[in-house]
Amino acid sequence: MAGCEAKKVCVTGAGGFVASWLVKLLLSKGYIVHGTVRQPGNQKYDHLLKLERASENLTLFKADLLSYESLCSAIVGCSAVFHVASPVPSTTVPNPEVEVIEPAVKGTQNVLEACREAKVERVVFVSSIAAIFMNPNLPTDKVIDESCWSDKEYCRKTQNWYCFSKTEAEEQALDFAKRTALDVVTICPSYVLGPILQSTTVNASSLVLLKILKGCESLENKHRWIVDVRDVADAILLAYEKLEAEGRYLCTSHPIMTKDLVEKLKSIYPNYNYPTTFVEVDDFTRLSSEKLQKLGWRYRPLEETLIDSVESYKEAGILESK
């Protein structure tokens, strides 16, 4: 997908954490961007309109994942579609089928159908590590990579609705590609941190970091694989621009235990009220982004991600300066 002059692309769920950084990156590279949002005039999307080149190269479209027609209007004429939109519940949901699964699965079907109809060059579907590692049958000595899939029945049994929705949606996306010859590449990020662009809403992964900084009684000392949101945006664009990109790509960079993460934050920001009690859990996993790195992907140091995250929270007024 060489040469981006005047190339028109679509980003679904453009106001989200990852999608906002992707829109910023695309605009900086000279792309004309169609962003789908629920209500274009809402102030929660003001951060997009303030991005460099947004005034001339960004158009926000009102679209609903469950409305095929609204998606078509945003996708028509686009060379690529980056399907980022998907519900990420930060609390328990009363009706997971309606609130999580249907928008993720049916929404993906609608996006893909609209892409096929519009003859889009390539679709990059942003999945999640949630579609890879939630499987009790994975050998503990195995390095988890793109060949691994979450067990959907196990996800249902344990009520991991986000994991189920991402697994089902990604499976259907790749199956759709096989059936229709639509070019689909998927990116599966791990735990995404980094500075926020949006100031009126806080994404689920940032809430976890804020919980650590604001103090909580105890935390599970589990293995976390962190990746910077800006590096995820780079990976998504790389998956479009590199002709040889195909299939799935696991996108992760830094493994760290929760207790070690707290200690690292303490060494940089010593004055916050950090948790002191940790519950040990048997949760060691080994992940590999070798396939993505072979495509040319690189990632930044963990310290940079943590510092930029915290500073952005303070600037947004959601974390007290100490």
Side-chain angles (χ1 to χ4, degrees):
M1 314 316 178
C4 65
E5 284 77 20
K7 279 221 170 186
K8 193 179 293 182
V9 299
C10 178
V11 178
T12 67
F17 180 42
V18 172
S20 292
W21 276 103
L22 178 58
V23 170
K24 179 180 172 68
L25 177 62
L26 289 164
L27 290 172
S28 74
K29 299 284 187 181
Y31 285 92
I32 297 169
V33 182
H34 287 186
T36 74
V37 295
R38 290 186 179 180
Q39 205 69 44
N42 194 308
Q43 67 174 9
K44 69 187 288 188
Y45 306 120
D46 284 355
H47 66 284
L48 295 175
L49 304 177
K50 294 173 185 174
L51 294 173
E52 190 175 353
R53 300 187 185 177
S55 58
E56 61 267 28
N57 284 347
L58 174 64
T59 304
L60 297 182
F61 288 76
K62 181 177 181 178
D64 184 329
L65 289 176
L66 298 180
S67 167
Y68 173 75
E69 291 75 16
S70 69
L71 291 167
C72 283
S73 65
I75 289 171
V76 67
C78 291
S79 301
V81 170
F82 302 96
H83 181 34
V84 192
S86 189
V88 185
S90 55
T91 57
T92 304
V93 290
N95 193 339
E97 288 287 346
V98 171
E99 297 175 56
V100 181
I101 298 170
E102 188 179 11
V105 178
K106 180 63 177 174
T108 297
Q109 291 173 357
N110 283 339
V111 168
L112 294 173
E113 285 288 358
C115 290
R116 184 183 62 82
E117 181 69 24
K119 296 181 170 54
V120 166
E121 285 180 6
R122 175 172 284 175
V123 180
V124 181
F125 171 72
V126 181
S127 183
S128 168
I129 192 179
I132 288 181
F133 79 101
M134 188 59 66
N135 189 333
N137 299 317
L138 286 175
T140 53
D141 60 346
K142 177 180 173 61
V143 175
I144 295 175
D145 59 18
E146 292 82 3
S147 67
C148 303
W149 284 91
S150 292
D151 183 317
K152 289 187 290 186
E153 288 308 310
Y154 179 74
C155 292
R156 278 196 175 275
K157 182 180 177 182
T158 55
Q159 297 187 350
N160 278 291
W161 303 118
Y162 177 69
C163 293
F164 178 88
S165 70
K166 296 305 286 187
T167 306
E168 180 71 12
E170 189 185 359
E171 281 184 350
Q172 292 203 13
L174 292 172
D175 179 63
F176 187 95
K178 287 179 184 177
R179 289 187 289 105
T180 64
L182 180 67
D183 189 354
V184 177
V185 178
T186 69
I187 298 288
C188 301
S190 58
Y191 176 54
V192 185
L193 288 178
I196 58 172
L197 290 175
Q198 76 281 16
S199 59
T200 58
T201 57
V202 182
N203 56 294
S205 55
S206 294
L207 283 172
V208 175
L209 189 54
L210 281 163
K211 182 180 178 182
I212 292 173
L213 291 158
K214 290 183 175 182
C216 53
E217 290 186 6
S218 67
L219 283 175
E220 287 187 342
N221 188 30
K222 60 183 181 181
H223 211 212
R224 297 182 186 272
W225 283 80
I226 295 171
V227 63
D228 192 287
V229 64
R230 295 161 293 187
D231 296 334
V232 175
D234 287 342
I236 296 168
L237 183 54
L238 196 67
Y240 168 60
E241 292 187 333
K242 288 282 189 177
L243 268 173
E244 63 269 31
E246 52 79 31
R248 310 175 87 194
Y249 288 90
L250 201 162
C251 180
T252 190
S253 47
H254 300 288
I256 190 167
M257 298 299 290
T258 305
K259 190 174 183 179
D260 295 331
L261 175 61
V262 169
E263 290 304 315
K264 187 173 282 291
L265 284 164
K266 264 187 187 178
S267 70
I268 307 168
Y269 298 100
N271 297 322
Y272 287 102
N273 184 29
Y274 295 98
T276 55
T277 305
F278 297 90
V279 179
E280 297 297 329
V281 293
D282 185 15
D283 183 48
F284 184 75
T285 52
R286 289 182 296 161
L287 308 180
S288 172
S289 285
E290 183 181 354
K291 183 183 176 187
L292 185 58
Q293 287 174 286
K294 284 180 177 177
L295 200 64
W297 183 67
R298 299 293 180 265
Y299 54 83
R300 67 199 67 215
L302 177 58
E303 289 77 7
E304 181 181 340
T305 299
L306 295 177
I307 291 169
D308 289 353
S309 297
V310 174
E311 294 304 317
S312 77
Y313 303 157
K314 291 194 289 187
E315 187 178 342
I318 56 177
L319 179 68
E320 185 182 352
S321 294
K322 288 189 178 182

